[in-house]
């Protein structure tokens, strides 16, 4: 998903994505979602392209993209671990999971290892509040997580 | 392995497939439901025993997930929690015929945890295949819509008003009154928007509706569209709920194929279509005006009110914004009449509420009962106390902006006004339990930290006040000018309450103040304290 982005192909791909969403009311957000789905992040180069295609100012486009936590400026690691830090998960040890991730990877929430192996993120609620603590690994939600299991997930991710 | 012999009167003769339910709900999947379903399919096939594995919604007994149900002559017999490694033993024991096994729970409908509830909104969830239109109609689906379509819009609105249904998203505003405002607008173009942002920690009922009974929500939206004169509707679903997004999208497609959406719905004059939009990780986009901005593909900045969204909402047009549970409850109100719903509940809180038990709780999940049930009943009788086995110390009700209540307040009835009078908030019905290891100063600090992280930034009390709040709590706990800083925190809370544009900054003081009020010792200096 995190392929490199060169000018010509970016432009063509962005145009295709825009064309696919143009009929919707207020299409920018669905378009940015589609871009992130394509490249794994939202490359800075798309801002002027989107501005031009949608007849918006660059500042508007940048403003929207930067408002939302989901949109990454840089590609994520090969494994992304999102730890739920909502209150319900805090009540059953989410804090210990954050500490465990930091100990094992050196990462605080929001950071990616220099070798591109792992990204650790935090999320405020995955809606799994009765089976916490919840963690999402590459989009798959795992309930009743504990530090041993998280450590082995991270061991594998760091080695990959 | 040998399959156990079938009893002669069993409908599950070796040749007709046994129906086995394994939930597809994402909470069940998070503890292995997919692997369990797959293992049952393969292992039964190896035995030559035909099974029909249906992926239902969850019954809401989440501590028992994956909860597998087998259709037997006595009813649906439950086994749980089932791990893939249990499947061989279950087959050996004859679970496909409902036989005994240490994981056997009994007939699920007769389990006290379920049978004591009154499932109105959640009546079908866990029972049906969420994406089967046949199942939906067989279990009472579309009755409300058909009745609504034969009823003039103003009468539908009146019915919803008379039912006493209040918005389940937090504020508890009467749904019918909001609808009437939209109906009374003369505009050609109006919208119905379903707020499925469900950002509050401790809440998951909206998710379970979308994953477990999506047609109900579509039916509710369609009734709303008929009632107010809208032709277009949107779901705003948070990105943290990919299963809900996929299920709603699939359900909309199926509904279109069945003419439950589209032109001249079910042969009526109503034409209405629905679209799914996905959020992007911003809690504030659950606030309705921020949600509308986000639906317009803008930054999720809160709008000043007035104008209210009912008059100038999405793209400036009259718009109904309702929570998932509000809209999901509309079909049953239309099907059974306002009176049946209105008769349930207490005082001005009518009908049922879908409570969500989470956090440190032994038996977490969905408890739907009429309003008026006490917190103690929910936590002790249904919830079975903490999961850790330690004493309950506090309960946060109503999400991150809700109060932390001490155990001395557990007899509070779940009722909007009773909670407001106690300085608390029912909110979306989330109940998060903490045991005695909780540090309430840390929870108060988190409330401010959360507000700082999630503030849209438009107003200063929320944007800056929350950052200052974190700093002041840190100083209090470090015993730096404690009294002065406590007074400062009080001041700051007043300012945020009175001066914020919306309830994000306006209610963040609620968890903070309740923590200080009920657990003052936790705010003493740290050195040498346990
Ligand atoms: C910060 C904040 C977050 C909110 N989040 C949600 C939410 O996730 N879901 C929701 O339905 N309502 C949420 N609300 C309430 C909405 O603003 C609005 O009252 C509600 O969607 C109206 O629908 P209802 O009348 O059916 O409850 C939130 C409010 C605030 C201030």
């Amino acid at each position: 998903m995190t392929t490199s982005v060169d000018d010509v192909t970016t432009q063509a791909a962005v145009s295709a994505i825009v064309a696919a969403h143009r009929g919707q009311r207020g299409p920018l957000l669905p378009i940015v979602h589609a871009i992130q789905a394509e490249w794994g992040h939202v490359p800075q180069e798309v801002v002027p392209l989107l501005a031009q295609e949608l007849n918006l100012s660059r500042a508007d486009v940048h403003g929207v993209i930067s408002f939302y936590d989901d949109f990454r400026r840089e590609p994520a690691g090969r494994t992304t671990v999102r730890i739920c830090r909502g209150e319900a998960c805090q009540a059953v040890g989410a804090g210990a999971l954050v500490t465990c991730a930091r100990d094992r990877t050196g990462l605080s929430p929001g950071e990616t290892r220099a070798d591109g192996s792992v990204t650790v993120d935090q999320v405020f609620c995955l809606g799994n509040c009765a089976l916490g603590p919840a963690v999402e690994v590459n989009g798959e939600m795992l309930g009743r997580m504990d530090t041993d299991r998280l450590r082995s997930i991270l061991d594998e991710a760091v080695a990959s | 392995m040998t399959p156990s012999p079938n009893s002669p009167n069993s409908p599950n003769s070796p040749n007709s497939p046994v129906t086995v339910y394994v939930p597809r709900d994402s909470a069940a999947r998070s503890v292995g439901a997919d692997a369990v379903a797959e293992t049952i399919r393969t292992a039964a096939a190896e035995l030559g025993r035909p099974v029909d594995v249906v992926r239902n919604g969850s019954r809401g007994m989440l501590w028992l997930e994956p909860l597998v149900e087998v259709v037997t002559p006595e009813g649906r017999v439950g086994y749980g929690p089932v791990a893939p490694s249990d499947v061989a033993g279950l087959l050996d024991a004859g679970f496909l015929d409902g036989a005994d096994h240490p994981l056997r729970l009994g007939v699920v409908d007769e389990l006290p945890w379920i049978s004591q509830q009154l499932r109105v909104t959640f009546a079908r969830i866990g029972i049906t295949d969420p994406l089967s239109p046949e199942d939906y109609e067989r279990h009472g689906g579309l009755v409300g819509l058909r009745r609504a379509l034969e009823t003039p819009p103003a009468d539908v609105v009146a019915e919803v008003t008379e039912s006493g249904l209040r918005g389940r998203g937090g504020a508890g505003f009467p749904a019918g009154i909001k609808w009437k405002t939209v109906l009374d607008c003369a505009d050609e173009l109006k919208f119905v928007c379903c707020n499925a942002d469900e950002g509050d920690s401790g809440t998951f009922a909206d998710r379970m509706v979308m994953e477990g009974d999506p047609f109900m929500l579509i039916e509710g939206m369609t009734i709303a569209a008929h009632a107010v004169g809208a032709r277009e509707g949107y779901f705003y679903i948070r990105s943290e709920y990919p299963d809900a997004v996929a299920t709603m999208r699939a359900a909309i497609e199926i509904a279109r194929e069945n003419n439950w959406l589209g032109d001249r719905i079910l042969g009526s004059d109503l034409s209405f279509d629905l679209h799914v939009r996905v959020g992007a990780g911003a809690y504030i986009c659950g606030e309705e005006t921020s949600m509308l901005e986000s639906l317009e593909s803008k930054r999720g900045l809160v709008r000043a009110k007035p104008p209210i969204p009912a008059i100038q909402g999405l793209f400036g047009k009259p718009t109904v914004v309702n929570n998932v549970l509000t809209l999901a409850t509309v079909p049953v109100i239309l099907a059974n009449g306002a009176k049946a719903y209105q008769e349930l509940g207490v005082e001005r809180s009518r009908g049922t509420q879908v409570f969500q038990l989470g956090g440190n709780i032994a038996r977490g999940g969905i408890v739907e009962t009429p309003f008026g049930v006490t917190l103690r009943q929910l936590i002790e009788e249904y919830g079975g106390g903490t999961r850790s086995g330690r004493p309950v110390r506090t309960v946060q009700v109503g999400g991150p902006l809700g109060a932390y209540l001490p155990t001395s307040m557990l007899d509070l009835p779940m009722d909007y006004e009773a909670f407001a009078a106690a300085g608390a908030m029912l909110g979306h019905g989330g109940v998060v339990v903490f045991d005695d290891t909780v540090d309430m100063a840390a929870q108060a600090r988190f409330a401010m930290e959360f507000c700082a992280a999630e503030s849209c930034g438009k107003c200063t009390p929320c944007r800056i006040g929350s950052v200052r709040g974190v700093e002041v709590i840190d100083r209090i706990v470090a015993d730096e000018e404690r009294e002065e800083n406590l007074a400062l925190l009080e001041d700051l809370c007043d300012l945020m309450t009175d001066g914020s544009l919306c309830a994000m900054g306006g209610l963040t003081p609620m968890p903070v103040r309740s923590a200080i009020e009920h657990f003052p010792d936790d705010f003493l200096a740290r050195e040498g304290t346990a």
Side-chain angles (χ1 to χ4, degrees), chain A residues 21 23-33 54 56 59-71 82 84-93 122-136 139-145 149, chain B residues 26-27 29-31 62-63 65 189 191 199-204 207 232 234 236 238-241 277-282 284-285 294-301 315 357-360 364-365 387 396 400 404 432-434 443 446 449-450 453-454 456:
Chain A
H21 292 87
Q24 302 182 17
R25 293 184 196 272
L28 178 58
L29 215 48
I31 288 171
V32 178
H33 268 302
L54 296 170
L56 297 166
D60 281 338
V61 174
H62 176 77
V64 169
I65 295 172
S66 59
F67 182 83
Y68 296 97
D69 288 349
D70 276 3
F71 301 132
R82 295 212 293 174
C84 178
R85 277 190 70 217
E87 287 87 342
C89 285
Q90 290 175 24
V92 284
Q122 64 181 5
V123 51
F124 293 118
C125 199
L126 292 166
N128 200 18
C129 317
L131 295 176
V135 164
E136 201 189 68
E140 186 188 356
M141 182 163 71
L142 305 172
R144 286 204 196 104
M145 184 52 63
R149 196 161 152 226
Chain B
S26 56
R29 295 184 61 220
S30 83
V31 288
L62 293 173
W63 78 101
E65 294 292 358
L189 185 61
F191 296 102
D200 291 359
S201 166
T203 64
F204 44 87
R207 179 184 64 65
E232 203 174 313
Y234 289 87
Y236 187 84
R238 63 202 301 259
S239 63
E240 293 83 352
Y241 286 179
R277 287 295 178 86
V278 181
I284 195 60
C285 288
S294 190
L295 278 170
E296 293 181 13
S297 275
K298 299 179 182 151
R299 294 164 68 86
L301 296 186
F315 298 104
L357 307 186
N360 195 335
R387 193 201 294 173
Q396 188 181 30
Y404 284 102
V432 175
V433 177
F434 292 77
Q443 296 311 120
F446 176 78
E449 183 195 341
F450 181 73
E454 298 296 335
C456 80

Side-chain angles (χ1 to χ4, degrees), chain A residues 43-131:
Chain A
Q44 201 58 38
E45 305 90 288
V46 305
V47 171
L49 297 176
L50 289 178
Q52 193 182 8
E53 291 260 10
L54 296 170
N55 203 16
L56 297 166
S57 75
R58 289 180 189 202
D60 281 338
V61 174
H62 176 77
V64 169
I65 295 172
S66 59
F67 182 83
Y68 296 97
D69 288 349
D70 276 3
F71 301 132
R72 299 181 180 282
R73 283 147 200 252
E74 305 289 333
R78 290 185 290 280
T79 301
T80 300
V81 174
R82 295 212 293 174
I83 301 169
C84 178
R85 277 190 70 217
E87 287 87 342
C89 285
Q90 290 175 24
V92 284
L97 297 182
V98 174
T99 308
C100 166
R102 186 174 298 134
D103 290 348
R104 181 60 193 89
T105 63
L107 302 174
S108 292
E111 296 176 352
T112 301
R113 298 255 295 193
D115 64 2
S117 58
V118 191
T119 295
V120 172
D121 266 340
Q122 64 181 5
V123 51
F124 293 118
C125 199
L126 292 166
N128 200 18
C129 317
L131 295 176

Side-chain angles (χ1 to χ4, degrees), chain B residues 166-173 175 178 195-200 206 283-289 291 305 321-324 326-327 401 428 502-504 507:
Chain B
R166 293 169 68 174
R168 298 287 187 250
F173 189 82
K178 190 182 285 185
N195 188 339
D197 199 51
E198 196 167 59
D200 291 359
D206 294 353
Y283 175 80
I284 195 60
C285 288
E287 194 282 333
E288 58 184 1
T289 63
M291 183 193 79
K305 286 192 271 195
V321 178
N322 275 132
N323 172 252
V324 169
T326 316
L327 289 161
L401 310 177
H428 189 47
C502 82
M504 178 86 224
L507 289 177

